[in-house]
Amino acid sequence: MSQELPNYEQAAAKVSAYARKLRQQVAPPAETVELSRANGRVLANPLVADQDQPPFSRSTRDGYACRAAEVTHHKPLPLAGSTHAGQSPSRPLPHSAVWEIMTGAPVPAGADAVVMLEHVERSGKTIRLLPPRTIDAGDNIVAQGAQARRGEELLPSGATLGFAQIALAASCGSVTLGVYARPRVAILTTGDELVPIEAAPGPGQIRNSNASMLAELVAGAGGEPIVLPTAADTPQALDKALAKALKADMLFISGGVSAGKFDLVEPALARLRARFFFTGVRIQPGKPLVFGDLPRSAVSASDDGGKRLPFFGLPGNPISSAVTFLLFGAPVMTALAGSHEPRPRFLFAQLARDTDRRGKPGLTRFLPALCDFNASGSRAPIVETVPWHGSGDLSAFARSNCFLVVPEDAGFLAAGSTVRVLLFW
């Protein structure tokens, strides 16, 4: 094994540094979308509170608004009024009295706590806190502005919008949002053996599953996939295909990056004056991964400052392509999208069974695995590898929901070990 190849941590550090620089240099164009179409988009402008949140002090329980010091004496107190959600109290709370209130309703002025319905004894129109229970000021009340003050930044630019962020924007009255445009990502699959998915493969041929998979991965990471026609294994075909990709914001090439007779991608990139950051990583699968960038101009190769086209040459086997996309492609893609969300995403889990001892030494391995995220009680998620027959085994891949990470210095992991898991998303 060549000692010049970076290990996973070294390659990841190079990609991370490149992504940070890209984020600083490139400001994606912004556009306005309706809130209902904002899921998965990246905020171009901070979200600011249009009013205090909550806009009034509200009760978090059904019960009785009161002064904590008065009800803690456990003496019967008269009921002075009632308020439900969507209604304002008709007057302040009188001294030595309580106010019936529902969850979400505004607390009358003068009240500093809400006693829960099940913690009191009601007799006619009087309420008594059941001893020995006590209550403190602030209990079961969210004060006006406790969550945010008017004008306060709630979400920064670069935040990715999911259902929680969309709910927050709706609470601020944001019918539309300014978001960054999705980066246009070219996907080029290569290989004489590939046929369209609707075709019947002939001898030695396979359907092109990688184009569909990479398009979904790109869309899931916030990009707009542009699937180019499959390129044949000739220098002329690759040169023509790569020329079409120069107008995109990023390029993924699938296949043709190993060291075989028909692995022609690196020479084709070199003819375009590519700058290579690494041409292989000590991982399995995915060792032949290529990372670099291209000048967009056919005249000059020195147009830096965000004018270059980042590219990844991914191994052609589907699991290899997926692993390398998640580990290395996604961080650069999210930077181009203006997002500050970290990629890739890992978690720790408990290994259900021993791993096998196969695999070349000195390689960080990423094995298709199935993680039970609903482990009972306080137990960590439980993960186990899925039996597979190499990085072209799509059946095994489809039964997985993550990759088990086997460190380069660990040829074997025992059942019960705490292990790291690479999430699909």
Side-chain angles (χ1 to χ4, degrees):
M1 183 191 308
S2 172
Q3 295 302 310
E4 297 179 359
L5 294 185
N7 62 20
Y8 166 65
E9 287 76 13
Q10 292 165 338
K14 286 179 180 288
V15 169
S16 180
Y18 186 91
R20 284 196 302 271
K21 184 177 179 181
L22 195 64
R23 188 178 289 113
Q24 294 167 356
Q25 291 178 335
V26 180
E31 58 189 25
T32 300
V33 298
E34 295 179 1
L35 185 64
S36 61
R37 299 171 61 89
N39 188 45
R41 303 301 297 269
V42 178
L43 267 184
N45 307 302
L47 177 67
V48 174
D50 67 328
Q51 60 182 354
D52 288 349
Q53 292 199 359
F56 48 82
S57 295
R58 62 179 177 84
S59 174
T60 63
R61 297 287 189 272
D62 291 341
Y64 299 92
C66 60
R67 293 179 180 85
E70 293 176 348
V71 298
T72 300
H73 292 304
H74 304 110
K75 294 180 180 179
L77 297 175
L79 184 62
S82 178
T83 303
H84 58 74
Q87 182 183 45
S88 295
S90 58
R91 59 191 175 111
L93 176 67
H95 286 283
S96 299
V98 297
W99 193 282
E100 187 177 30
I101 195 167
M102 309 305 170
T103 300
V107 175
D112 62 12
V114 171
V115 59
M116 295 171 61
L117 187 66
E118 54 266 40
H119 295 163
V120 302
E121 175 185 68
R122 180 166 177 170
S123 178
K125 292 189 176 182
T126 64
I127 300 299
R128 184 173 76 98
L129 178 63
L130 292 171
R133 187 177 298 276
T134 60
I135 189 169
D136 296 320
D139 284 359
N140 303 319
I141 289 178
V142 179
Q144 178 176 339
Q147 298 164 347
R149 287 294 183 183
R150 180 180 179 181
E152 182 179 337
E153 181 178 306
L154 302 177
L155 291 174
S157 61
T160 300
L161 296 165
F163 57 86
Q165 293 76 23
I166 288 174
L168 180 61
S171 75
C172 295
S174 300
V175 178
T176 61
L177 288 171
V179 297
Y180 290 127
R182 298 183 190 272
R184 301 172 70 251
V185 181
I187 298 169
L188 174 62
T189 51
T190 69
D192 291 338
E193 75 279 14
L194 299 179
V195 298
I197 59 176
E198 67 273 13
Q205 294 181 324
I206 58 173
R207 292 188 175 95
N208 185 356
S209 60
N210 276 7
S212 298
M213 178 185 71
L214 289 171
E216 292 303 315
L217 285 167
V218 165
E224 178 188 341
I226 303 169
V227 179
L228 301 176
T230 301
D233 288 325
T234 67
Q236 297 79 9
L238 281 172
D239 289 347
K240 183 178 179 180
L242 288 172
K244 295 179 180 178
L246 293 178
K247 294 182 180 180
D249 299 308
M250 190 172 177
L251 168 63
F252 287 101
I253 310 162
S254 172
V257 294
S258 295
K261 180 179 179 181
F262 293 100
D263 291 318
L264 306 175
V265 167
E266 283 188 48
L269 292 167
R271 288 193 292 275
L272 290 173
R273 300 180 308 283
R275 180 170 59 180
F276 293 98
F277 301 119
F278 53 76
T279 55
V281 188
R282 299 206 305 267
I283 63 173
Q284 184 185 35
K287 182 169 174 273
L289 175 72
V290 176
F291 171 44
D293 59 22
L294 289 166
R296 296 181 183 277
S297 167
V299 178
S300 171
S302 60
D303 50 349
D304 291 332
K307 297 181 180 179
R308 298 180 69 89
L309 174 71
F311 68 80
F312 285 91
L314 310 178
N317 279 326
I319 298 180
S320 300
S321 287
V323 166
T324 48
F325 181 98
L326 294 172
L327 291 173
F328 304 108
V332 177
M333 264 211 61
T334 53
L336 276 173
S339 172
H340 296 285
E341 299 289 329
R343 302 282 183 148
R345 292 176 175 170
F346 296 94
L347 59 74
F348 288 102
Q350 186 176 15
L351 188 60
R353 296 184 178 87
D354 295 348
T355 62
D356 61 55
R357 299 175 184 269
R358 291 174 293 179
K360 296 180 180 179
L363 300 177
T364 302
R365 292 190 290 158
F366 296 85
L367 308 180
L370 186 63
C371 189
D372 178 6
F373 297 101
N374 295 314
S376 60
S378 60
R379 295 177 62 189
I382 305 297
V383 65
E384 60 180 310
T385 56
V386 172
W388 64 314
H389 300 279
S391 54
D393 190 347
L394 281 172
S395 296
F397 191 29
R399 294 194 301 271
S400 309
N401 62 8
C402 64
F403 290 104
L404 170 67
V405 183
V406 182
E408 62 180 314
D409 57 354
F412 170 76
L413 295 174
S417 301
T418 299
V419 294
R420 195 158 63 139
V421 168
L422 169 65
L423 299 178
F424 283 179
W425 285 123

